[in-house]
Amino acid sequence: MDVNLEKEAALVESVLFLESEPLTVDSIAAITQLSKDIVPDCIELLKEKYAAENSGVELGMITGGWALVPKKEFWETLKERYGNKNEGKLSRSAMEVLSIIAYKQPITRAEIESIRGVSPDNMIRLLAERQLVKEVGRKDAPGRPVQFGTTKEFLKFFRLNSIAELPQLDEKENERFELAR
């Protein structure tokens, strides 16, 4: 292993420690003044370092950027104190609406109501206030209803890099998300 790479990786590690938001390779390169070609090697070195069993943190890709985060096995214990204070706990109804939006986005209020059987208005308002969902466009249909989708805050909340990382639904679960006809 190149001695310089260890020093450069330590610089990247320091930046990731100090930043509160995930950083892209380009951002890390700009902050550290390292070459964009070297940063991925530094990240790989840090991933190996944090993969050790005795480490309480890991290098994670969240919303398209790298961040030092607690290992998943410790997060359940820590998130009450260190999670975003305004997140709070989501009710079962809010989680239901959020999961429908996450798996079926873009989706309208009427489509959510068709799946749930009850009006989602209050839950959509709550989720929008918490910045977990947002308006993403309008459906090309009569009345041009608003369509909703998830946000970067949603990805951060669930520690996902992209929506593609959502757990896959089995056939029975997928049927529950189908629109009532």
Side-chain angles (χ1 to χ4, degrees):
M1 184 180 324
D2 189 347
V3 175
N4 286 342
L5 187 59
E6 286 183 2
K7 185 176 180 182
E8 291 162 337
L11 176 60
V12 170
E13 180 180 34
S14 298
V15 168
L16 292 172
F17 175 76
L18 293 170
E19 289 290 331
S20 59
E21 295 293 319
L23 297 173
T24 63
V25 169
D26 289 348
S27 298
I28 295 169
I31 293 167
T32 61
Q33 299 177 351
L34 295 173
S35 161
K36 290 180 187 178
D37 298 333
I38 291 291
V39 173
D41 294 337
C42 294
I43 289 170
E44 285 306 312
L45 189 62
L46 292 172
K47 282 168 60 177
E48 289 173 21
K49 174 182 177 178
Y50 290 118
E53 273 187 45
N54 62 350
S55 176
V57 295
E58 62 189 357
L59 194 56
M61 173 71 84
I62 300 175
T63 66
W66 293 101
L68 287 174
V69 296
K71 284 195 172 171
K72 285 184 172 92
E73 63 194 85
F74 302 127
W75 184 240
E76 280 305 310
T77 305
L78 300 173
K79 75 178 179 182
E80 180 83 25
R81 179 178 177 103
Y82 296 103
N84 199 348
K85 299 298 182 198
N86 68 353
E87 285 172 356
K89 292 192 178 189
L90 293 174
S91 69
R92 185 179 184 107
S93 296
M95 282 299 291
E96 187 176 278
V97 170
L98 185 56
S99 61
I100 290 169
I101 293 171
Y103 280 100
K104 292 296 185 180
Q105 62 187 313
I107 189 168
T108 66
R109 289 176 198 268
E111 291 167 337
I112 297 168
E113 186 170 344
S114 175
I115 293 168
R116 286 187 76 218
V118 295
S119 172
D121 290 350
N122 289 335
M123 293 304 112
I124 289 173
R125 191 175 310 110
L126 171 79
L127 295 169
E129 285 172 6
R130 294 192 182 186
Q131 299 178 339
L132 297 173
V133 301
K134 67 179 180 181
E135 292 182 13
V136 294
R138 292 194 171 266
K139 188 170 184 168
D140 191 16
R144 306 225 349 111
V146 171
Q147 294 178 306
F148 295 92
T150 56
T151 64
K152 275 193 171 188
E153 289 304 313
F154 168 85
L155 296 174
K156 285 182 196 174
F157 186 86
F158 290 101
R159 298 182 62 189
L160 301 170
N161 183 39
S162 74
I163 205 73
E165 291 183 1
L166 282 172
Q168 294 300 306
L169 299 176
D170 66 27
E171 193 174 315
K172 184 178 178 185
E173 291 170 325
N174 209 24
E175 286 175 14
R176 291 182 19 214
F177 282 87
E178 292 304 314
L179 296 173
R181 304 261 182 243

